[in-house]
Amino acid sequence: MDALPSFPSSFVWGVSTAAYQIEGAVSEDGRGPSIWDTFAHTPGRVRDGDTGDVACDHYHRWPEDVALLSELGVDAYRFSIAWPRVQPDGSGAVNPKGLDFYDRLVDELVARGIAAVPTLFHWDLPQALEDAGGWLNRETSYRFAEYAAAVADRLGDRVGRWITLNEPIVHMAQGYAFGTHAPGRELMFDALPVAHHQLLGHGLAVRALRAGGAAEVMITNNCTPVVPASDSEADLAAAAVYDGFHNRLFLDPVLLGENPLLDGAPCVRDGDREIIATPLDALGVNYYNPTRVAAAPDGSPLPFEMLPIEGVPTTAFGWPVVPGGLRDLLAGLHDRYAGTLPPIYITESGCSTVDEVTPDGRIHDTARIDYLDGHLRALHQAIGEGVDVRGYFVWSLLDNFEWAEGYQQRFGLVRVDYDTQRRTPKDSFGWLRAALRDQR
Ligand code: FCB
């Protein structure tokens, strides 16, 4: 395989994880229950009845995991902070032991020269807040800002770059509209206030983090280039509607101060728009694949239909592998938001593979190497075309709890044997380590 083209010398190389997917230790040191504990323990919700009770046991094994980051040679580590560790009921007094865990983690990262990039909300809402309405309740936005301030107060002296929310579209759609993720509500279009309250919480948190001295604040959105199934008027219109929900609902309010889908909605109050549009230092973009969209068939509850993308390889999850989609996505963002688009970090990119451990104990995940190689070349092209992308984070360091798919899907550069918790770097880990050395 040819060496990757050279990225700018200041380019940030990293990997990402999230609290509920790796930490385990769900009842330790005063952590309160989250909506994912409740959901995973509800029979039938998660494949094979898997839960995050133990996950990768990262809560106890974090020194080994930070050593892996060092060995890999990344500049930065994106992880998430579990709100229910910091405030077990989602409000009020801070649980110092919960913050101690992240304090030790950040110290160790700093000692090894790895920048800590925490995400404040990666879907594990304290259950007590869900009991009061979750993100359907405007109060949750204010609680989120208070929690953000408490975390910044403790970690702000060592953390420069913060992420408020992870993928609010996925949390709203899967969690509140379709019910396939926690909290498992099936409200369809009545879930829309969840979009607004997450964005309001984001804007309030940006202000709280800045007041706490944060140097750089961003939001991470899941973005997809939308490919109309044909040039017919109906397919083009359906593709535009899909783009509106998936991409623009969470970008236009933040970058343009506009929200066509929620204009006039009772959940939007005077002043919200300005809070949500508080300028950002960067935009986090998670890219996995494009989405092909056609007009909805008669009687569909949705105004569009998603179709498979034919003729391309797929990941173990069945997701289409289209590296050029990353270039198209970035070019599209650059065109649409022009002067208002801040620098971008790709905060997640990766694939699940069916990994076999060969008799010599190795995992030859060539599909992951191809995936990363292809996406990095597409990213390099986009940078060459003028899109300001400052970093790339692979999802994920470790195999982990893949939400409703449980432990079935493996996204890690490092294999986790869930019986023994043994970590084994896969071939992709060695490939990335060598690629990062070449870049320096
Ligand atoms: C993203 C999530 C992340 C992980 C990957 C595969 O949508 O942010 O937690 O599950 O998908």
Side-chain angles (χ1 to χ4, degrees):
M1 191 174 269
D2 292 342
L4 289 173
S6 288
F7 282 74
S9 57
S10 57
F11 197 75
V12 175
W13 297 95
V15 292
S16 294
T17 63
Y20 189 73
Q21 295 180 275
I22 64 167
E23 287 179 358
V26 290
S27 333
E28 253 170 86
D29 293 335
R31 178 186 180 278
S34 79
I35 56 172
W36 268 97
D37 298 282
T38 309
F39 189 78
H41 279 274
T42 306
R45 291 301 209 170
V46 175
R47 188 179 179 129
D48 300 331
D50 289 343
T51 73
D53 288 2
V54 178
C56 307
D57 196 28
H58 171 77
Y59 194 76
H60 300 115
R61 292 169 197 264
W62 61 270
E64 185 183 347
D65 295 336
V66 176
L68 283 166
L69 292 169
S70 247
E71 197 186 325
L72 183 57
V74 287
D75 306 306
Y77 174 47
R78 173 180 178 238
F79 58 97
S80 82
I81 293 178
W83 187 349
R85 287 198 194 283
V86 178
Q87 288 174 304
D89 295 330
S91 60
V94 161
N95 167 35
K97 284 192 172 168
L99 272 173
D100 287 349
F101 171 68
Y102 299 105
D103 200 74
R104 291 191 292 270
L105 176 66
V106 168
D107 271 349
E108 182 65 13
L109 290 168
V110 170
R112 289 179 180 266
I114 300 169
V117 185
T119 302
L120 288 166
F121 182 69
H122 202 124
W123 306 348
D124 46 357
L125 192 76
Q127 182 62 43
L129 293 184
E130 177 58 27
D131 295 342
W135 287 108
L136 289 162
N137 180 350
R138 185 179 170 94
E139 286 302 310
T140 299
S141 317
Y142 297 98
R143 299 295 83 76
F144 181 62
E146 288 159 12
Y147 151 67
V151 178
D153 187 46
R154 184 74 181 271
L155 304 180
D157 55 337
R158 285 150 293 153
V159 170
R161 188 174 297 136
W162 296 85
I163 297 173
T164 55
L165 306 176
N166 177 70
E167 298 189 352
I169 175 60
V170 177
H171 190 54
M172 179 193 81
Q174 303 224 42
Y176 288 84
F178 305 130
T180 46
H181 278 185
R185 306 201 55 181
E186 297 176 40
L187 301 172
M188 296 302 283
F189 289 102
D190 290 341
L192 272 171
V194 170
H196 183 66
H197 294 145
Q198 286 187 92
L199 286 168
L200 179 64
H202 154 77
L204 292 165
V206 174
R207 294 178 175 197
L209 290 167
R210 289 249 170 77
E216 229 181 89
V217 187
M218 56 180 155
I219 186 171
T220 276
N221 281 343
N222 180 298
C223 298
T224 184
V226 182
V227 185
S230 80
D231 285 342
S232 77
E233 230 172 83
D235 285 350
L236 291 173
V241 170
Y242 187 84
D243 186 39
F245 278 105
H246 194 116
N247 298 312
R248 301 184 63 167
L249 180 57
F250 295 93
L251 286 170
D252 289 9
V254 165
L255 299 178
L256 304 176
E258 292 168 9
N259 196 344
L261 280 171
L262 280 164
D263 263 352
C267 62
V268 181
R269 300 204 187 150
D270 279 355
D272 288 0
R273 193 185 279 244
E274 291 71 25
I275 293 170
I276 292 170
T278 304
L280 291 178
D281 305 287
L283 176 68
V285 169
N286 292 354
Y287 170 74
Y288 287 94
N289 50 257
T291 307
R292 189 163 160 250
V293 172
D298 285 347
S300 164
L302 293 173
F304 43 74
E305 185 185 20
M306 279 134 89
L307 299 177
I309 296 180
E310 315 280 356
V312 299
T314 51
T315 69
F317 219 140
W319 297 355
V321 178
V322 187
L326 178 56
R327 184 254 154 210
D328 296 347
L329 170 69
L330 293 168
L333 292 175
H334 188 62
D335 287 350
R336 180 181 287 161
Y337 296 103
T340 61
L341 186 67
I344 290 175
Y345 289 87
I346 305 301
T347 38
E348 287 181 27
S349 167
C351 64
S352 64
T353 52
V354 179
D355 293 335
E356 269 172 49
V357 184
T358 53
D360 60 356
R362 298 187 52 191
I363 300 108
H364 302 298
D365 57 339
T366 43
R368 176 168 293 103
I369 295 174
D370 289 347
Y371 188 99
L372 296 175
D373 181 83
H375 284 74
L376 285 167
R377 285 175 200 279
L379 176 57
H380 190 267
Q381 186 188 345
I383 295 172
E385 290 166 355
V387 190
D388 185 2
V389 183
R390 306 264 174 103
Y392 179 87
F393 291 70
V394 176
W395 183 270
S396 181
L397 173 66
L398 303 168
D399 291 339
N400 60 50
F401 177 82
E402 179 45 39
W403 309 115
E405 291 298 309
Y407 296 99
Q408 182 75 20
Q409 299 298 331
R410 292 181 175 270
F411 277 88
L413 297 165
V414 175
R415 179 179 176 84
V416 176
D417 176 331
Y418 296 110
D419 293 330
T420 61
Q421 290 295 342
R422 184 156 173 236
R423 274 83 163 128
T424 309
K426 304 178 191 177
D427 283 3
S428 57
F429 182 98
W431 175 84
L432 185 62
R433 184 179 52 191
L436 297 191
R437 282 196 187 142
D438 280 355
Q439 291 290 326
R440 283 162 184 148

